[in-house]
Amino acid sequence: MKEKLKKRTQTFAIDCGYLCSRFPATREYDAYCRQLIRCAASVGANYRAACRAKSDADFLNKLKIVEEEADESMYFLEILLIISQKEHQEIKRLLQEANELLSIIVASINTVRKRIKDKK
């Protein structure tokens, strides 16, 4: 499961980059696309870091970062959906993928929290 999710988060980052390459290099698009590329890439990078966690608490902290970055990715995708006249189908697909990744991460967070609580 970890390897599959690593690949999925990597693909998400790459797909967001490809999406952004299709927008004009204007000031407003550039600002949103830079943010989207940064947070989309951070989803995968921080998930990889979580997989190397030293403890459940460390794993939980790193997953919380992944959660924040996935939610932030959704925010910038939503902005692009609103301001753009094109790429709506691809933006919606990436929004769905971000939402699915977020759901997986939240479920993992809840599992780890329960495990930590049960150890006490």
Side-chain angles (χ1 to χ4, degrees), residues 41-86:
S42 187
V43 170
N46 282 293
Y47 180 72
R48 287 175 68 108
C51 291
R52 293 186 309 274
K54 310 269 187 285
S55 65
D56 280 345
D58 188 29
F59 185 64
L60 181 61
N61 288 332
K62 287 176 171 50
L63 283 183
K64 291 296 291 172
I65 296 168
V66 176
E67 177 187 23
E68 291 172 12
E69 296 295 340
D71 187 58
E72 189 175 326
S73 297
M74 290 179 69
Y75 174 76
F76 288 109
L77 285 165
E78 289 165 358
I79 287 176
L80 289 172
L81 187 63
I82 292 166
I83 68 169
S84 172
Q85 300 300 316
K86 61 180 187 172

Side-chain angles (χ1 to χ4, degrees), residues 1-16 18 40-41 43-49 51 93-94 97 101 104-105:
M1 175 67 174
K2 283 184 182 181
E3 290 306 314
K4 184 177 177 183
L5 196 53
K6 281 182 184 179
K7 182 66 178 158
R8 194 169 167 182
T9 58
Q10 183 180 62
T11 300
F12 175 70
I14 292 167
D15 288 351
C16 284
Y18 284 146
V43 170
N46 282 293
Y47 180 72
R48 287 175 68 108
C51 291
R93 184 188 73 77
L94 288 169
E97 178 64 3
L101 291 169
I104 292 166
I105 296 304

Side-chain angles (χ1 to χ4, degrees), residues 31-42:
Y32 297 131
C33 284
R34 283 179 185 269
Q35 286 293 105
L36 174 58
I37 290 168
R38 184 197 60 75
C39 56
S42 187

